[in-house]
Amino acid sequence: MFLLPKGNPLFENLAVSKLNLPDVLTKLSNGTFTGYASFIFQSSTAILVFEAGKLVSVLVEGQNGKREAGFEALSALAELMVTTGSGALNVYKLSKDLTMCIHALLEGETLYKAQDLKLIDINSLLKKVKDDQMNGCLRIYTDEHSAMIFYKDGNPLGFFHDGASDIETSSTESQKIAGLPGAKIDLFSTQSADELMDSNLLEVTNIQKIWDTSVALHKSEIDKTNLDRQEREKKVVSMKLAELENTVKEIVGEYVGRVGRGIVDKEISDNGGNSCLIDADGTEKFMKGVERAAKLLVSGTNIKLMMEKLSAAISIGKSEF
Amino acid sequence: MEKFFELLTQMNPFDLVQVIFWGLAGAISFYFSLGNARVWTSISIGFFLIFLSQAYGINPWAHYQKLTAFHYIIGTVAIMTITHGFLEYYVFCRTFEISGNKLVVYLSTLGVVAISGFFLIINPTPSPNTIRNFKMVENAIWVFLCVMNIEIVRKIYAAIKDSDISKGFIAFGIVFLCIFVWRGSDLYLQIFQWDKDWQDIIAIMTEETSDIEEYIVRVQLSQDVSRYAGLLSGVSVGGAFMYMYRLLK
């Protein structure tokens, strides 16, 4: 993601999880804010550029370099804010002209892209910028370094390079990078700041609706995840209960004979299903019922052995829940 | 008490042995009913009642005709109670449902016996012929319900044959077979009017004649079968309960 000049910081490192996008945008808009707001997430970064309270550009860039702008970017930002538990908001106030240049960098017209500096006549290019009274940003970079020169009406407003926090008046760093082998340039141009004032994304998008949709979508996803988890847990519980029921049937069948299974079925049904095997009260009733029925079929000695075995099996079964 | 011992000395030794065996069987079955599950109560109480019905021979007041009739009624109640118990056991084997409590069984049996006594009290003193009718009805019910109980016991055995006590039901099957032969041979004699009671009645009360002399062999055989099967019944009931007690211990 771009490193941008910080200008005058209004807020830094505000926890995004506590923020509401429509509120943030409304506050910045009502305060006729000029500058940019950056949302830093672990996997993405979003930049929102404001000119006198008007949202002139939005850009969201993921770790993989994928970029989204405009309405898609606002939706992506809302989704990131809702779904990501972490993230920080920084708000920097900039001059109107610099803000225009930032806009150019983010969403301006690309005149040159990854152009090898050796293959172009840089002096002619700078002359053209001046002659055309261009508004925009010239980015000079190598794999390791990057610097930007912001222009207004063809005149440099300032220089900015990675490692710096704010705009500088000296071109030394930019010239240094331009002299490095493999240096390339990007050139972005934009309309004048006054013309930019004609567009306001906040007017053409219903940010509250985008936010509400994201919140609702996230909630439904959480609900679905919870439901899936509950169902999975229920399935696991029901499988374990079925296993325990089968163990109990085998024990009773071993002592009582084949009617033993029927006795267990009947007692389970009388006590509200096989969940009674993991409920203290239900287990007591179940055991009493089985013992009462077994007394009609099995000797006292075998009943004692059977009940001991049943208690042990049910205790082990219970411990697994 | 003197009269009681006098009666004992007057009794046919074979009948006396039979009553003693029924006494033992009754005591064992009653004891069995106390320490076991509710379903056994009806069965054991029923077998205990057989002893009461058979005890008229040693009852010092048995010459009271109403009391004699009462013995036969108790005999009828006995087999009905036993059948009720085995039916309940069969229902348990199919549904595993156990309901009611012992006290209700004791009180209900007592109630039925009391109502029977009341029935005898409010009616005229039964003649020897009426008493014979009571005995015949008792035997008919016993024969019919023995067949039914043999079938129920077979079904119970089939349902629980791999349990500890299944063999006990084979013992009960033998018990009912013995009782069927005992009561059946007695009923046979009554139906053809070859029984001792009928012979006594026609000897002193009517001018009817009997063809008993023509069938003396089969009459004798039936009488012997009845006596030995009666004795065997008492022994088998006591044995069956002792065996069952051992299986359930």
Side-chain angles (χ1 to χ4, degrees), chain A residues 90-193:
Chain A
N90 304 304
V91 180
Y92 301 106
K93 197 173 179 184
L94 297 176
S95 69
K96 194 176 164 185
D97 296 332
L98 201 53
T99 302
M100 174 197 68
C101 294
I102 299 288
H103 168 72
L105 181 68
L106 300 182
E107 286 193 64
E109 189 189 348
T110 308
L111 300 178
Y112 289 95
K113 180 75 180 166
Q115 188 68 58
D116 202 325
L117 209 53
K118 278 183 183 167
L119 302 177
I120 57 166
D121 181 352
I122 187 72
N123 291 328
S124 303
L125 181 65
L126 294 174
K127 189 174 180 298
K128 183 178 164 48
V129 169
K130 194 167 179 64
D131 292 347
D132 292 352
Q133 295 188 324
M134 213 179 271
N135 297 313
C137 172
L138 175 68
R139 187 167 166 245
I140 307 163
Y141 59 97
T142 62
D143 289 343
E144 285 85 28
H145 302 283
S146 158
M148 285 180 267
I149 309 165
F150 299 109
Y151 290 92
K152 186 199 172 192
D153 298 332
N155 296 314
L157 279 174
F159 303 86
F160 179 74
H161 60 87
D162 48 6
S165 64
D166 212 345
I167 202 144
E168 291 171 3
T169 48
S170 158
S171 64
T172 320
E173 189 67 23
S174 308
Q175 282 171 348
K176 227 187 249 176
I177 293 169
L180 289 172
K184 291 175 181 170
I185 63 152
D186 295 336
L187 180 60
F188 307 101
S189 77
T190 186
Q191 300 154 309
S192 71

Side-chain angles (χ1 to χ4, degrees), chain A residues 243-258:
Chain A
E243 270 175 34
L244 180 58
E245 183 183 334
N246 205 38
T247 309
V248 165
K249 278 181 180 171
E250 276 172 14
I251 293 169
V252 178
E254 183 189 331
Y255 287 92
V256 178
R258 68 191 162 98

